[in-house]
Amino acid sequence: MKASCYLIFAVVLSASAPLLPAAPFAFRSDDRVALVGNTVVERAQRFGHVETLLNLAAGAEVKGLTFRNIGWSGDSVFGDARSYFGAPKEGRDRLQRVVKEVKPTVLLVCYGTNAAMTAKKGWTDDPAGAARSKAGDEESLSLFVETYGKLLDLIVGGAGTELREVVLISPPPLENLGHPLPDQSANNARLAIYRDAIRDLAGARGHRFLDLFQRMGGNKLKAGEQSRGPLTINGVHYGEAGYVLIGESLVGGLGLTLSGNLSANDSSVVALRKSIMEKNRLFFHRWRPSNETYLFLFRKHEQGNNAKEIPMFDPLIEKEEQSVESLRAGVFSKL
Amino acid sequence: MKRFILFGLLLLAGALAAPAQRGLKEIPNPDVKAQEAGFKLPAGAKINLFAADPQITKPIHMNWDGQGRLWVVGSPLYPHIKPGEEETDRLYVLEDTNGDGVANKASEFAADLHIPTAVLPGDGGVYVANSTEVIFLRDNDGDGKSDERKIVLSGFGTEDTHHLLHTFRWGPAGHLWMNQSIYIHSHVETPYGVRRLLGGGMWHFRPETGRLEVFMKGLVNSWGHVLDEWGQSFMTDGAGGDGINYVFPRFVGVTSPRASRVLRGLNPGQPKHCGLEIVTGRHVPKDWVGTLLAPDFRGHRINRFRLTYKGGSYISTKIEDLVSSTHRAFRPIDVKMGPDGAIYIADWYNPIIQHGEVDFRDARRDHTHGRIWRISFPERPLVQRPEIVKAQSAGLVSLLDSPEGLTRTRAAVELRQREAKEIMPALEKWYVSLKEDQALQKLRAIWGSQAVGAFQRSWAEDLVSGSNPKARAGALRALYYTAGEEKTSRALLEKAVEDPNPQVRLWAVSVLAQLPWPDTVTLALRALEKEGVDKYLDFALWSICREHASRWLPVAQERNPFRHTWQLFFAGRALKQPVGISHVLKSLAEGEFETEAQLDEVISWIANVGEANHLEVLFSIALADGAPKSRQIRVLRGLRDAVRLRKQRPAGRLGRLNRFLERGNGAVFAEAAALAGMWKLEEAREPLEKAFLGPETVSSTAALEGLRALGGAKTKQFFSTTARNVGMEFGKRLRAVVGQTRLDPKAGAELAVSLLQGARRAEDVQVVVDAFLVNKNGPSALAEVLERPGSAMKPSMALVGLNHAGSSANKSEALIEAFRKAGSLKPMKLKLSSAEMEAMMLRVAAEGSAARGEQAYRRAGMQCIVCHAIGGAGGIIGPDLVSIGASAPVDYLIESMLEPSKKIKEGYHTAVVTTQEGDVVAGAIARQDDTEIVVRDAKGMEIRVPKKEVATTSVSPVSLMPMGLTAQLREDEFVDLIRFLSELGKEGPYKTTAQRFVRAWEVLQPHGRTRDAIGHYGKKIFTENIESYQWTPLVTRVNGTVPGEELPRVVGRGKERYGVARFRLQVNEAARISFKLSGKLSDLTVFVDGTEMKGSREGVSDVIELSRKKGTCTVTVVGLLGGGMEEFSVELLGNPGVIEVAQ
């Protein structure tokens, strides 16, 4: 694994004041943070930087902070990717159920890349949206906003009374990596429009808005011009260094700061990140196990007896979370 | 006679020694020597161990790199990670550095994988399918271990770990191909937007551009894909049973969700396969080159197929196996040609196959073994391993033309890493040196240019204009990949859609489907103007008509955008919309549609989409004087669909229908009766009631349908009166009960019980119970009345009712209980304890006779053959059992016979569609689209249900296989039957061979005329086309023989009795053809059409040879029964492309 190179504690972020309603954002002890979205969210768990940075930005006095990454590659605000044998509604129901089970106090939601990139080709199979998602930019955008609102109704409504913060995050910008990869400048310009719409949606609903798009470069991609020092592997999906920047941008966007003087390569930080990744691995097998057809769905009469193993991941996750907690304390003790 | 119901008790009396570890005794010896002893190979071939556990464990997939190293992924974690387990599955690299055919170097490249199901080295590292992701691993510091891990693609489904993303392969142009199976739903983001593939299918991926597209959809477990020499794709299916499948862009195969049309494979009834490889190179015997290797992991063997190219499509013939084994743990699941020209096999090694039907934690799942075998031909020289990665430009380019497919592919993959400016001079030099007839080499040069990232479009365009049809198709496929991205020549496609070869046209249409042009469909449909539209081309055209509907439909509202009306008809029909219907009806009147088949198609289309005035035209076609009966039937059936599915009726006076009801019999009457009911035609009531009470059972049953649909108080009154009339014939009363029940289950139940009490025949009980089972409120209504005192039934009849109710998708415990009470039946013992199971398995092994078991299997009452095929011959409702014995453990077979619903094979789950009116339709979803669902029921009938009328659809936990079939077997017969099933597919007499036996026959039922006429005609009388002859289907035994004892005894002179069997032979081209008749030849006579044939004797067989023109003929075998004629068989000889059994 390539060494990651951020100097988390040396950087003072947040040059511009975040657009926040009322009180500044702060994590509290025993906060449960759920991350919802598509590929950009799902892959964050494989790198661990986002959770590591948020964890440390919360500060030493905040204890028992836990994260649940329930991002799903290729997902849309209709919940397309989360459905198995049924229509996308099954996916939305699943998301609602999982959010409810996870009992978040803070919900970080990031959708929009797929709709912005597939405006004319359609980005959902939902019967209520398939045709409109193909109809053109304006129609696609209004469908996205309308559906995003409904999705938030569904998951915020079902999340339980503990939920106190909802943050809508604009997707990170795209990059041009040059031939033979496609030019993303037109998509990125469209993404800027989606960003505006997400900001307005957050405002209308009284949620916080975090402009990750702007913080990571915004709408400055020019046709035919290659991005300098690219952070994505294909113009869309971020790699190791990219997720460091995403994590830092989220910290800054929430109005938090990192102070101190420890490198990401410090053994204590590395150990913390590894433990976070292991916890994520265990949680993945818990909330999104393989073989669901046999364990829970229409062939459960054959293997449903083995579904009892799935909750057996819970104590393992808890144990790993204790390790995260103590490793985190270890990092703070070095400051 | 001891009946099987009792056997639970009998078993307990036996001495049971073994504890609960049932079946574990059967675990084969894992010693390599034991496995080696079990192999059977063709002459000249030798097998040796290349690598084995503990060096490698549980190999799933493998591929060679450019340096001659074999990369293998293995998964001890399969099928499901346990809580507390680390992700520790392995990626191994195996190398044979001294060329002795044995790996002497083995290392672990990665040890942190989670059920990896595919591996493909290239691009300086290795691509791995790792559950939800495709990852790329690289070793940067040269220590032989991965130190960089990149997520390439993510969002692949994991709903079933034996369906995960799999079967990675580089194509000749350096593109990456990947498959997924039936339960997987994938949503993958790419730089071009999100791509979704729901269900099985194949992905096409170009890592350098990031473009990922769905190439085809469907197939159950598409575990094999190979591109042939000309770049055409073939696939195998681990659960589909069609052998080799030819696929192309937008192909849709079985089980693809919401598919309204699917294509089938080339070898219906073949075993299921995991993996596919094409034999190439100089090491193997010459006649092996081009044959396909398909591992039949259930049957412990690797099948071999020969493809015959036939004017753009293919005939696939099973030939001698590559290898087979008597060792029960030999599970070949991948096969690849190696760099030395030998054949390498990944042996998953397991005594049981590892589908989800077997418990995830079953102790028989092996987690530690695994082998790589190597098959070579010691008398032939090995191939010198090519130097690929170190080759200079010219040398590398020359490898693109290597006789070894692996070398060609690896050279293309190496080109992916090279600079175009460095390679292109050498490639161009080679290309210009090629002669006109070197079309294959030109295609290879084109692929080379694609692999290096400098596609030479002009080379491909030149080749499309060439004289070799395979090259023209291949070049169009090369153009297909980037068709939407670059400018495509219009003149080229205009010519190609009218190419004489249908496969070339197919690819031209596939290219058009990628383009944004407004007239893609009008261009594409020109392909219909040429001779020879095969099913693939037809499908591609159907597909583009739908996909590009917005480009031609608006024009078609105004005028016919196509050259001919029948093209408009084709397009409108593809869309299932009434587009251009008046044009078509005009052409119909003018006689443009000449043949009865064309007419049929037009009729059924108009019935499906037409409005009242269009239907009126149809109706008048049926009413026309002299209209043939078949056409009348077709029209009436179409009109029935129109009213049933769309509530559409002809515009004119409907009472004209009575014309068909007057005669009161025949098939036309039946159609008209049903239609009259659907139309609610009161004036038809009288003739329908008359026919109901008339002497003809068939007409009476048809009238029942009509009256039922007509409905209303009068109908109820009529049914009630008839059912209560004790003087009336029992059958008619029974039908009246059925009618009443369909109208009103509660009222029906009141009438039903007294008739059930009087029933003496199982069919009568079934008919009545069925009427209740097809309504969601039916079972409870019947149960309620049956529960009343005084409802006692004969136990045998109550048992029939109980079994029937128990195996229905509309299952009701209350009804089962009610039958149990009515018949005073004791609870049936169908579940065996583990001790009983153990004892039963011992008996199967010790006492079971497969030969007697086959007799039981074939017994009419068992209904096995009606639903299941063995090697393609038999029913299609249940899975083909061709290798069930080799794949399923004996306890699984026993359990499945006793409790059919406990484990249901994927693709054979019963769907239950309930309509808003409460009707319950159960069966397999044959197809569906936006407007309707088509269900194939247990009798094989297709039932169309309009989507609008569907209340719910669900997957039933109940198997279509009836429960209680075993009740009619004695215990020893049950043991024999299980033994027979357990031998199917295992090495021995119950494994189907490559011999082309005629397996599906028709046999003549006894007929009144033969006794007298035989004196005049001789045995030729049996070949005469006599309309009242009744021919019924008969399938052969597994060994291909027709048993004499099962032939109906047709009367001849005096005491002579004959068995007469026939089949249709299709001759594809004028040729000398031959087949072999075996049996007691002195009593057998064979006719081709009406001519008696004399064969030349070969041992116990006669070889019959004759010259035939293209077309079909009937072969009839007449056997004199009673003189020791026990069995006979017919085997087709010669080139399979020339003759085949007609479908």
Side-chain angles (χ1 to χ4, degrees):
Chain A
M1 184 80 51
K2 232 191 281 178
S4 49
C5 53
Y6 57 86
L7 277 175
I8 40 176
F9 297 91
V11 188
V12 177
L13 288 152
S14 109
S16 60
L19 188 77
L20 296 178
F25 179 90
F27 284 115
R28 296 179 192 164
S29 286
D30 297 324
D31 257 345
R32 164 64 60 86
V33 185
L35 300 129
V36 179
N38 53 313
T39 305
V40 64
V41 176
E42 181 190 292
R43 290 194 191 174
Q45 70 193 287
R46 302 282 188 247
F47 299 97
H49 298 293
V50 168
E51 279 185 45
T52 305
L53 283 160
L54 290 175
N55 230 313
L56 294 173
E61 65 283 3
V62 173
K63 312 277 188 213
L65 182 60
T66 54
F67 290 82
R68 291 288 181 269
N69 186 324
I70 46 180
W72 200 308
S73 280
D75 199 22
S76 76
V77 285
F78 274 103
D80 279 84
R82 295 168 197 266
S83 69
Y84 281 157
F85 296 89
K89 181 177 183 305
E90 183 190 304
R92 297 195 288 278
D93 292 346
R94 180 190 182 108
L95 178 60
Q96 187 188 33
R97 176 173 56 77
V98 173
V99 169
K100 193 174 174 183
E101 283 168 10
V102 159
K103 295 194 190 76
T105 58
V106 177
L107 202 52
L108 305 181
V109 193
C110 180
Y111 279 106
T113 317
N114 285 329
M117 289 184 67
T118 340
K120 284 192 184 103
K121 289 182 190 144
W123 44 267
T124 180
D125 285 337
D126 192 281
R132 284 178 69 196
S133 79
K134 281 181 218 169
D137 287 350
E138 275 182 38
E139 195 60 30
S140 173
L141 179 66
S142 71
L143 176 71
F144 171 78
V145 172
E146 185 184 310
T147 314
Y148 202 168
K150 286 183 193 162
L151 185 76
L152 290 166
D153 288 344
L154 200 69
I155 58 178
V156 173
T161 50
E162 302 292 305
L163 181 65
R164 60 179 182 83
E165 290 280 3
V166 177
V167 185
L168 303 193
I169 301 169
S170 58
L174 308 174
E175 294 182 328
N176 274 346
L177 301 193
H179 182 81
L181 284 160
D183 192 290
Q184 297 289 4
S185 49
N187 281 336
N188 200 51
R190 211 179 291 119
L191 199 50
I193 299 170
Y194 274 72
R195 180 268 314 270
D196 295 346
I198 295 165
R199 181 192 56 213
D200 295 348
L201 179 69
R205 296 181 60 95
H207 300 322
R208 289 180 195 272
F209 172 66
L210 195 163
D211 197 351
L212 185 63
F213 181 77
Q214 199 58 41
R215 284 181 168 270
M216 293 185 62
N219 183 16
K220 61 176 190 195
L221 215 53
K222 291 204 178 66
E225 209 171 84
Q226 283 203 30
S227 304
R228 260 173 285 167
L231 296 168
T232 63
I233 54 168
N234 57 7
V236 185
H237 299 119
Y238 285 78
E240 185 91 44
Y243 273 98
V244 172
L245 188 62
I246 289 175
E248 289 171 348
S249 304
L250 292 177
V251 167
L254 289 170
L256 305 173
T257 50
L258 295 159
S259 58
N261 203 4
L262 260 187
S263 147
N265 291 332
D266 186 277
S267 61
S268 67
V269 181
V270 171
L272 170 63
R273 195 164 64 89
K274 294 259 184 260
S275 183
I276 284 171
M277 286 160 73
E278 172 63 7
K279 180 267 302 177
N280 284 337
R281 185 187 75 80
L282 292 166
F283 179 60
F284 197 87
H285 292 306
R286 171 66 177 95
W287 82 279
R288 198 173 148 185
S290 303
N291 290 311
E292 285 208 32
T293 315
Y294 296 91
L295 297 174
F296 303 112
L297 302 175
F298 65 93
R299 293 184 75 165
K300 70 179 174 198
H301 61 288
E302 292 170 54
Q303 299 287 322
N305 56 319
N306 289 310
K308 65 178 184 291
E309 288 183 3
I310 303 304
M312 288 158 71
F313 280 98
D314 285 339
L316 302 170
I317 295 166
E318 256 172 58
K319 200 170 153 228
E320 197 61 44
E321 241 147 20
Q322 287 162 15
S323 141
V324 169
E325 186 70 10
S326 72
L327 288 166
R328 182 173 176 266
V331 175
F332 284 122
S333 73
K334 281 198 173 182
L335 293 174
Chain B
M1 202 189 297
K2 285 178 289 183
R3 288 292 169 179
F4 189 68
I5 308 178
L6 305 172
F7 102 74
L9 294 172
L10 295 172
L11 267 178
L12 288 175
L16 306 172
Q21 292 203 342
R22 64 193 200 201
L24 276 176
K25 279 200 200 69
E26 273 197 81
I27 297 295
N29 183 355
D31 190 78
V32 166
K33 293 258 174 328
Q35 216 181 349
E36 278 171 339
F39 287 122
K40 199 178 130 197
L41 291 154
K46 182 185 158 232
I47 193 162
N48 72 275
L49 188 70
F50 180 72
D53 44 87
Q55 248 176 356
I56 58 158
T57 52
K58 307 322 302 168
I60 287 183
H61 190 239
M62 61 182 184
N63 265 307
W64 297 93
D65 70 8
Q67 288 148 275
R69 298 176 301 188
L70 185 62
W71 297 65
V72 183
V73 278
S75 178
L77 286 176
Y78 180 89
H80 200 99
I81 193 164
K82 279 184 195 154
E85 266 177 344
E86 299 283 315
E87 292 174 9
T88 52
D89 282 339
R90 302 292 207 265
L91 168 52
Y92 306 100
V93 184
L94 304 171
E95 197 172 3
D96 167 17
T97 56
N98 55 11
D100 65 352
V102 177
N104 54 345
K105 239 176 109 178
S107 61
E108 287 180 7
F109 191 76
D112 57 353
L113 303 173
H114 179 235
I115 314 192
T117 37
V119 58
L120 189 66
D123 295 351
V126 59
Y127 293 90
V128 177
N130 197 48
S131 291
T132 60
E133 297 173 341
V134 175
I135 57 174
F136 180 76
L137 304 175
R138 195 202 301 267
D139 168 22
N140 290 301
D141 61 11
D143 67 351
K145 292 199 183 307
S146 160
D147 49 31
E148 184 188 338
R149 175 167 168 160
K150 189 171 102 175
I151 304 166
V152 180
L153 298 165
S154 60
F156 299 97
T158 58
E159 291 89 316
D160 181 338
T161 50
H162 77 266
H163 296 164
L164 300 174
L165 190 74
H166 51 78
T167 312
F168 286 9
R169 185 183 273 283
W170 292 114
H175 299 166
L176 207 165
W177 299 87
M178 321 187 282
N179 300 0
Q180 70 182 44
S181 299
I182 175 168
Y183 292 165
I184 300 298
H185 303 82
S186 297
H187 307 262
V188 187
E189 286 174 28
T190 79
Y192 308 83
V194 63
R195 295 292 184 268
R196 308 187 193 280
L197 175 55
L198 312 183
M202 181 154 71
W203 294 95
H204 172 225
F205 182 45
R206 284 179 285 159
E208 71 285 5
T209 66
R211 194 178 270 285
L212 172 78
E213 301 291 351
V214 174
F215 186 77
M216 54 71 70
K217 295 195 283 190
L219 300 187
V220 188
N221 290 327
S222 52
W223 287 326
H225 170 220
V226 76
L227 294 109
D228 77 353
E229 194 170 45
W230 297 93
Q232 297 293 336
S233 282
F234 299 86
M235 294 173 79
T236 50
D237 189 336
D242 277 355
I244 308 298
N245 298 269
Y246 172 61
V247 302
F248 52 88
R250 294 169 173 80
F251 171 103
V252 180
V254 290
T255 78
S256 185
R258 294 196 279 271
S260 46
R261 183 178 173 187
V262 298
L263 284 166
R264 302 303 303 246
L266 299 169
N267 307 84
Q270 278 306 308
K272 294 130 202 232
H273 298 115
C274 185
L276 183 62
E277 178 66 307
I278 186 162
V279 178
T280 61
R282 289 160 290 182
H283 173 63
V284 298
K286 269 212 174 92
D287 64 341
W288 280 57
V289 172
T291 59
L292 298 175
L293 306 176
D296 169 13
F297 56 98
R298 289 175 171 82
H300 317 282
R301 62 178 170 176
I302 297 182
N303 292 142
R304 207 150 62 88
F305 294 88
R306 188 179 298 285
L307 286 178
T308 312
Y309 180 80
K310 196 179 91 182
S313 60
Y314 302 86
I315 291 169
S316 167
T317 316
K318 196 163 139 213
I319 53 178
E320 189 190 13
D321 286 344
L322 166 66
V323 60
S324 63
S325 172
T326 54
H327 192 280
R328 295 284 169 264
F330 176 61
R331 299 290 179 189
I333 61 169
D334 196 9
V335 56
K336 294 278 157 63
M337 300 298 300
D340 57 352
I343 299 163
Y344 291 75
I345 299 158
D347 172 11
W348 166 251
Y349 191 95
N350 220 300
I352 56 171
I353 64 156
Q354 299 224 357
H355 271 64
E357 288 92 343
V358 180
D359 195 285
F360 288 167
R361 306 306 178 207
D362 189 305
R364 290 167 297 182
R365 286 182 182 266
D366 178 289
H367 293 275
T368 56
H369 296 95
R371 275 111 212 226
I372 309 291
W373 301 96
R374 172 180 175 271
I375 292 179
S376 60
F377 298 85
E379 284 162 28
R380 299 182 57 85
L382 289 169
V383 173
Q384 172 121 35
R385 284 157 192 264
E387 189 59 73
I388 297 170
V389 293
K390 288 186 190 145
Q392 301 296 310
S393 300
L396 188 55
V397 165
S398 73
L399 294 178
L400 293 173
D401 197 28
S402 162
E404 283 76 35
L406 175 64
T407 304
R408 295 197 299 269
T409 304
R410 288 315 314 186
V413 177
E414 179 61 25
L415 283 179
R416 292 176 52 79
Q417 298 253 78
R418 304 288 179 97
E419 291 294 327
K421 61 177 189 293
E422 164 212 330
I423 295 295
M424 284 314 290
L427 195 59
E428 274 165 27
K429 193 175 159 204
W430 180 43
Y431 179 77
V432 298
S433 77
L434 294 171
K435 298 194 179 62
E436 185 57 39
D437 61 352
Q438 288 180 290
L440 182 59
Q441 279 66 31
K442 287 184 177 177
L443 194 54
R444 287 173 177 170
I446 292 165
W447 289 332
S449 75
Q450 289 183 312
V452 79
F455 176 37
Q456 298 299 298
R457 173 168 288 270
S458 63
W459 298 359
E461 289 174 351
D462 282 350
L463 200 53
V464 175
S465 314
S467 60
N468 183 321
K470 291 180 181 176
R472 294 201 297 274
L476 281 164
R477 180 166 176 159
L479 288 165
Y480 164 84
Y481 300 125
T482 48
E485 300 163 25
E486 298 165 39
K487 193 166 155 35
T488 305
S489 158
R490 190 176 174 88
L492 181 98
L493 287 179
E494 280 180 352
K495 186 155 173 267
V497 290
E498 296 192 41
D499 196 283
N501 181 293
Q503 190 178 54
V504 178
R505 278 179 275 157
L506 167 80
W507 279 100
V509 172
S510 298
V511 172
L512 281 169
Q514 297 291 90
L515 297 175
W517 301 349
D519 60 344
T520 45
V521 180
T522 43
L523 267 180
L525 289 198
R526 291 186 193 171
L528 287 169
E529 293 171 21
K530 294 285 164 201
E531 275 290 305
V533 177
D534 60 27
K535 63 178 179 177
Y536 304 121
L537 176 57
D538 189 88
F539 189 95
L541 290 168
W542 173 83
S543 173
I544 195 172
C545 286
R546 294 163 66 90
E547 192 177 327
H548 293 188
S550 65
R551 304 186 195 179
W552 64 270
L553 194 54
V555 187
Q557 310 289 8
E558 309 285 318
R559 60 181 174 82
N560 178 9
F562 306 102
R563 284 176 176 170
H564 303 279
T565 312
W566 46 263
Q567 286 161 325
L568 178 62
F569 164 60
F570 183 97
R573 192 178 49 158
L575 226 53
K576 282 183 82 176
Q577 284 185 23
V579 192
I581 206 162
S582 49
H583 285 288
V584 173
L585 284 172
K586 189 158 160 276
S587 298
L588 194 66
E590 287 164 2
E592 198 189 326
F593 298 90
E594 287 165 357
T595 66
E596 201 66 24
Q598 281 177 327
L599 205 59
D600 273 1
E601 288 180 5
V602 174
I603 289 169
S604 76
W605 175 56
I606 293 173
N608 272 321
V609 299
E611 287 152 19
N613 54 332
H614 306 133
L615 297 180
E616 178 61 27
V617 178
L618 277 198
F619 194 25
S620 59
I621 289 174
L623 290 165
D625 290 332
K629 274 186 187 169
S630 60
R631 195 181 303 166
Q632 290 176 334
I633 290 169
R634 173 72 62 161
V635 169
L636 296 177
R637 194 171 290 164
L639 291 174
R640 178 149 59 107
D641 284 344
V643 63
R644 194 171 68 80
L645 301 172
R646 303 185 297 118
K647 316 261 182 278
Q648 286 281 1
R649 297 173 173 79
R653 199 177 67 80
L654 302 181
R656 289 172 288 169
L657 184 67
N658 267 14
R659 238 187 79 175
F660 301 113
L661 296 171
E662 279 153 17
R663 275 188 56 205
N665 60 40
V668 179
F669 172 84
E671 290 299 339
L675 181 58
M678 299 296 298
W679 279 352
K680 307 282 180 198
L681 195 64
E682 272 302 324
E683 52 196 297
R685 181 177 296 282
E686 198 191 315
L688 288 176
E689 288 185 357
K690 198 173 142 206
F692 185 95
L693 299 171
E696 294 262 347
T697 307
V698 176
S699 303
S700 178
T701 307
L704 159 64
E705 278 305 303
L707 286 167
R708 179 179 75 76
L710 192 53
K714 280 187 186 165
T715 310
K716 282 193 185 176
Q717 188 54 47
F718 173 76
F719 282 146
S720 174
T721 314
T722 310
R724 289 179 203 280
N725 182 352
V726 290
M728 181 74 70
E729 186 194 321
F730 190 73
K732 292 198 178 80
R733 293 180 65 201
L734 215 54
R735 282 192 282 283
V737 171
V738 168
Q740 191 72 318
T741 304
R742 298 297 307 279
L743 288 174
D744 179 351
K746 278 197 174 194
E750 297 292 343
L751 301 172
V753 172
S754 65
L755 275 105
L756 286 173
Q757 288 175 313
R760 294 287 174 274
R761 301 188 315 161
E763 303 92 284
D764 293 343
V765 175
Q766 285 166 359
V767 152
V768 171
V769 175
D770 271 342
F772 287 94
L773 293 175
V774 295
N775 185 289
K776 74 173 176 197
N777 302 317
S780 55
L782 181 58
E784 196 192 314
V785 182
L786 262 183
E787 288 277 351
R788 291 182 198 156
S791 302
M793 288 174 66
K794 278 183 66 173
S796 60
M797 293 296 112
L799 179 63
V800 171
L802 184 146
N803 284 339
H804 221 58
S807 53
S808 164
N810 189 17
K811 190 171 174 172
S812 152
E813 290 305 327
L815 185 55
I816 293 172
E817 192 49 42
F819 274 117
R820 191 169 286 150
K821 266 194 200 161
S824 306
L825 301 171
K826 295 204 177 62
M828 232 202 281
K829 171 91 182 166
L830 287 177
K831 203 176 168 68
L832 303 188
S833 70
S834 55
E836 289 164 344
M837 179 63 87
E838 174 75 9
M840 181 51 84
M841 289 170 68
L842 290 172
R843 276 195 67 183
V844 169
E847 300 166 21
S849 150
R852 287 195 307 259
E854 186 172 25
Q855 284 174 7
Y857 178 87
R858 299 176 62 83
R859 203 181 290 166
M862 287 298 291
Q863 297 177 36
C864 305
I865 289 179
V866 178
C867 294
H868 293 278
I870 298 176
I876 55 164
I877 292 155
D880 194 309
L881 302 175
V882 63
S883 54
I884 188 76
S887 63
V890 174
D891 51 351
Y892 174 87
L893 294 174
I894 294 171
E895 194 177 66
S896 296
M897 286 293 296
L898 298 177
E899 299 177 83
S901 296
K902 194 146 182 204
K903 309 273 165 70
I904 304 174
K905 182 83 214 124
E906 60 222 306
Y908 292 92
H909 277 80
T910 306
V912 186
V913 177
T914 309
T915 68
Q916 276 150 6
E917 290 192 353
D919 288 346
V920 177
V921 182
I925 303 270
R927 60 189 176 275
Q928 59 176 320
D929 57 24
D930 297 340
T931 57
E932 64 182 34
I933 300 181
V934 183
V935 179
R936 188 182 297 114
D937 73 7
K939 297 183 188 91
M941 295 285 288
E942 288 193 349
I943 300 161
R944 296 167 66 182
V945 186
K947 276 255 167 88
K948 272 188 265 179
E949 290 175 16
V950 173
T952 60
T953 54
S954 59
V955 177
S956 165
V958 179
S959 170
L960 273 182
M961 177 158 149
M963 224 172 59
L965 282 175
T966 49
Q968 53 183 299
L969 292 178
R970 290 193 317 265
E971 199 181 323
D972 58 311
E973 289 174 327
F974 179 82
V975 167
D976 291 339
L977 179 58
I978 296 292
R979 179 59 183 265
F980 166 66
L981 294 173
S982 76
E983 291 296 327
L984 286 174
K986 284 182 185 164
E987 202 52 51
Y990 296 95
K991 184 175 198 167
T992 55
T993 64
Q995 288 165 288
R996 295 161 61 214
F997 287 115
V998 175
R999 293 186 174 274
W1001 292 77
E1002 287 183 323
V1003 296
L1004 180 62
Q1005 293 295 331
H1007 188 271
R1009 257 184 81 183
T1010 53
R1011 181 196 296 274
D1012 299 331
I1014 200 164
H1016 177 67
Y1017 289 90
K1019 290 178 215 163
K1020 191 171 181 288
I1021 184 66
F1022 302 126
T1023 69
E1024 291 293 308
N1025 188 14
I1026 294 171
E1027 210 181 320
S1028 54
Y1029 271 174
Q1030 223 195 327
W1031 296 88
T1032 55
L1034 182 85
V1035 301
T1036 64
R1037 295 187 186 120
V1038 178
N1039 66 7
T1041 57
V1042 175
E1045 73 209 24
E1046 290 183 31
L1047 292 173
R1049 299 171 71 82
V1050 184
V1051 179
R1053 285 190 201 85
K1055 287 187 176 168
E1056 282 174 2
R1057 296 293 178 270
Y1058 290 98
V1060 184
R1062 70 176 189 185
F1063 64 93
R1064 303 275 296 163
L1065 192 64
Q1066 185 170 325
V1067 183
N1068 292 319
E1069 57 192 72
R1072 193 109 185 114
I1073 63 166
S1074 58
F1075 59 87
K1076 187 198 271 186
L1077 174 70
S1078 308
K1080 195 183 171 205
L1081 298 169
S1082 55
D1083 290 343
L1084 293 171
T1085 316
V1086 61
F1087 293 88
V1088 174
D1089 290 336
T1091 312
E1092 187 176 338
M1093 306 302 297
K1094 285 273 170 261
S1096 53
R1097 191 61 52 96
E1098 259 184 27
V1100 294
S1101 307
D1102 268 349
V1103 172
I1104 289 127
E1105 265 195 78
L1106 66 158
S1107 295
R1108 291 293 303 188
K1109 289 199 186 112
K1110 186 177 172 177
T1112 57
C1113 55
T1114 301
V1115 178
T1116 309
V1117 177
V1118 181
L1120 184 62
L1121 300 177
M1125 205 290 292
E1126 288 170 348
E1127 60 183 32
F1128 67 85
S1129 66
V1130 167
E1131 183 189 348
L1132 303 186
L1133 304 174
N1135 187 338
V1138 177
I1139 53 168
E1140 55 193 325
V1141 177
Q1143 297 291 325

